[in-house]
Amino acid sequence: MAHDLDAALTGISGILVTPYDGEGDIAPGRLSPIIDRVVEAGVHMPVVNGNTGEFYALTTDEACTMVREVVGMVADRRPVLAGIGRGIRDACRLARASADAGAAALMIHQPPDPFVAPRGIVDYVRAVSDASGGLPIMLYLRNDAIGTHGIAELCALPGVKGVKWATPNPMNLAKAIAACGPDITWVCGLAEVWAPPLYAVGARGFTSGLINVWPERSVAIHEALDAGDYARARDLIAGMRAFEDIRAEELNGTNVTGVKAALQALGQDCGPTRPPSAWPLTEAQQAAMRQFLARNGLI
C-alpha cells in the first residue's frame, strides 16, 4: 500500500515502548495488541526505536530486531518511522536494517556525544542517509544550541523532510522555520502538552508516548488542533496532563517508567524499564497513575 508520508508526518508519531520478557530480553510480540489498538484508533505513524522505546538502552542487534518485528506487525497498515542513532557505524548498520525491514522513513536522533560539531552532524546525517539507500529523513532535534544556521544546513541535505522539534523554545522554532525551505515539515517533538504553543508558530503534528495507553485521546487532541480548535485541544490535554506530569518527574527519568507502569495496570505487561531509567514508580507516583487511569475509565 502506498502511504502519504507527508500527511503521516504531520499527524501523530506514536513512539512505541520496547517490551521485555521475564529474563529482561526484548519481547517484540507483546507489542501486537498495542499496535493493533494504535492503528485502529487512527494514529498516523508508529515509531520504533524512539526514546519511549528506550533506544539508548538497547543493543544495536536488539534495535535491528525491533524494527524488523514492528514493521511486520504493522503490516503496511501505516508507514513506520524508524529511530536511528549511536556511533556512526552502528547508526549506518541500523539504517540499512531499517530500510531492509521496510521502514518508510528514518528518525535520526541528535547525537549525544560530548564532542558534537554542527558540521559533524551534517556528515553524520549524510552517511546515515547513504547507508539507508536514500530513505526520507526526519531529524530529531533535542538541543537547538547548534543554532539556526546549523539547523538550516541540516535541513538542506538531500532526503531531509523535516524536524521533530523537542526543545521548549517556540521562538527558536519560528526562526528555524523562517530560515529553511517551505518543503520542510516541523513537528512538535514534546508530545501533546507542548503541541498548542508549537502549533502556534508553525509546527504540525506531534510525538506521543500516551498512544501506548490511550491512543484515542491523542487522536482527539490532534483532530482539535488540526481544526484550529485550541480551546478543545487545551481541555483534552488537561485531562491527560497528570500522565505527562508523572513521566516528567526525576529529571524525566520516569518518562518510560510511567508508560510501562500504566500498561501493566491495563493488563498489557511490557516488562520493566532498563537502568538508568527509574523502576518501578514510587508508591506516590503509582497511586497518582492509578488515579489517572481510573478517572478516565481506562481501568
Side-chain angles (χ1 to χ4, degrees):
M1 179 188 298
H3 296 287
D4 184 342
L5 186 60
D6 290 324
L9 291 172
T10 60
I12 302 169
S13 297
I15 319 298
L16 299 165
V17 298
T18 295
Y20 306 127
D21 62 20
E23 301 301 316
D25 296 320
I26 59 170
R30 295 188 182 190
L31 270 181
S32 183
I34 296 170
I35 288 173
D36 287 345
R37 185 178 179 189
V38 162
V39 170
E40 289 165 9
V43 173
H44 308 83
M45 177 172 278
V47 182
V48 61
N49 294 328
N51 283 339
T52 304
E54 298 179 80
F55 176 67
Y56 285 101
L58 304 178
T59 66
T60 303
D61 283 343
E62 289 174 328
C64 289
T65 298
M66 286 303 302
V67 69
R68 183 174 64 250
E69 293 295 320
V70 166
V71 170
M73 284 184 279
V74 173
D76 207 32
R77 291 175 290 174
R78 294 288 189 275
V80 174
L81 186 60
I84 306 294
R86 297 193 178 83
I88 187 62
R89 292 193 174 187
D90 282 337
C92 287
R93 179 186 164 204
L94 183 51
R96 285 191 292 271
S98 299
D100 291 344
L106 307 180
M107 178 184 74
I108 301 183
H109 291 266
Q110 193 168 10
D113 191 295
F115 304 113
V116 176
R119 60 191 172 99
I121 301 177
V122 170
D123 292 338
Y124 182 95
V125 171
R126 185 182 290 116
V128 169
S129 175
D130 290 345
S132 76
L135 279 182
I137 288 170
M138 289 293 290
L139 306 171
Y140 186 16
L141 187 74
R142 293 181 59 83
N143 180 355
D144 56 16
I146 63 173
T148 302
H149 177 71
I151 295 167
E153 284 195 321
L154 286 169
C155 288
L157 287 172
V160 173
K161 291 189 70 68
V163 179
K164 292 193 181 293
W165 186 274
T167 160
N169 300 314
M171 299 317 297
N172 286 352
L173 171 57
K175 292 176 184 176
I177 292 173
C180 297
D183 56 333
I184 298 295
T185 299
W186 300 87
V187 178
C188 170
L190 292 171
E192 290 85 350
V193 172
W194 273 92
L198 297 190
Y199 256 66
V201 297
R204 290 295 177 269
F206 52 83
T207 58
S208 175
L210 179 68
I211 57 93
N212 293 277
V213 176
W214 197 10
E216 298 83 3
R217 175 53 61 97
S218 297
V219 170
I221 292 168
H222 184 269
E223 289 174 348
L225 287 169
D226 258 16
D229 192 344
Y230 281 77
R232 174 162 173 73
R234 286 194 299 269
D235 286 345
L236 291 167
I237 290 167
M240 53 75 66
R241 179 141 199 163
F243 180 77
E244 292 300 317
D245 288 344
I246 294 167
R247 297 180 69 202
E249 292 186 10
E250 300 184 55
L251 301 176
N252 286 314
T254 52
N255 187 290
V256 186
T257 315
V259 179
K260 285 193 163 182
L263 285 169
Q264 283 187 339
L266 295 175
Q268 294 182 318
D269 188 5
C270 286
T273 60
R274 289 177 175 175
S277 173
W279 186 266
L281 292 179
T282 65
E283 289 185 11
Q285 290 165 344
Q286 187 66 42
M289 181 61 76
R290 290 193 67 85
Q291 184 181 41
F292 162 77
L293 294 172
R295 183 171 64 246
N296 290 291
L298 296 171
I299 57 172

